[in-house]
Amino acid sequence: MADDADLEEIRARRMAELQAQMGGQGGGNDQQKEKERQMEEMKHSILSQVLDQSARTRLNTIAVAKPEKAKMVESMLIQMAQSGQIQGKLNETQLKGLLEKVSERTQKTTTVKFDRRRAALDSDSD
């Protein structure tokens, strides 16, 4: 838990440094950027409360490979945490189960359709 607090502090410091380097380039978007930063910070703090270290690592790995899937899982975890469906921290195997459920729901079915008449016409014309 102390590691997570240290990470959050380092992230906040780094974000402040980057903002200082950017200077006035943001213009009127400063409030929006600040709001986004706060939302991101809140998301990270909720996820650190809900997931143990191995599960966080797995989620970060997924975020590298499939960012849209990771965002969907993160928002799902946050909703579950806010509604009280998660008691304690999820470990890696529990996260895997959740990921499998998400994959089942979002699995795309592909269908291949052959137009046999056109193929038959092509062979007859030869």
Side-chain angles (χ1 to χ4, degrees):
M1 200 70 171
D3 292 335
D4 289 339
D6 291 341
L7 276 173
E8 292 300 320
E9 184 179 314
I10 291 169
R11 282 187 187 132
R13 228 181 301 137
R14 181 72 180 137
M15 185 65 84
E17 288 174 10
L18 288 172
Q19 286 176 346
Q21 288 175 356
M22 295 297 278
Q25 293 178 5
N29 293 335
D30 286 342
Q31 288 180 339
Q32 184 179 359
K33 285 182 182 181
E34 180 65 22
K35 199 176 230 184
E36 287 176 13
R37 188 188 65 77
Q38 286 177 348
M39 292 295 286
E40 195 71 23
E41 209 172 285
M42 185 180 77
K43 180 177 79 168
H44 284 295
S45 69
I46 290 173
L47 288 174
S48 66
Q49 292 171 6
V50 174
L51 299 174
D52 70 355
Q53 198 61 38
S54 61
R56 289 278 308 246
T57 304
R58 180 166 291 270
L59 189 58
N60 288 338
T61 305
I62 291 169
V64 170
K66 297 183 179 180
E68 64 282 340
K69 187 172 187 174
K71 285 182 182 180
M72 184 170 48
V73 171
E74 286 174 352
S75 63
M76 192 171 159
L77 285 168
I78 290 169
Q79 285 178 342
M80 289 171 70
Q82 289 174 341
S83 65
Q85 294 176 345
I86 300 176
Q87 285 78 28
K89 286 191 172 201
L90 293 178
N91 61 21
E92 188 175 2
T93 55
Q94 292 169 324
L95 182 64
K96 282 182 191 177
L98 188 66
L99 288 168
E100 287 174 3
K101 288 178 186 176
V102 168
S103 292
E104 287 172 7
R105 274 194 270 161
T106 60
Q107 194 172 30
K108 296 178 182 174
T109 57
T110 57
T111 57
V112 178
K113 196 174 181 181
F114 289 102
D115 190 357
R116 297 209 183 270
R117 286 176 289 168
R118 188 176 304 142
L121 289 174
D122 288 342
S123 63
D124 287 343
S125 64
D126 288 339

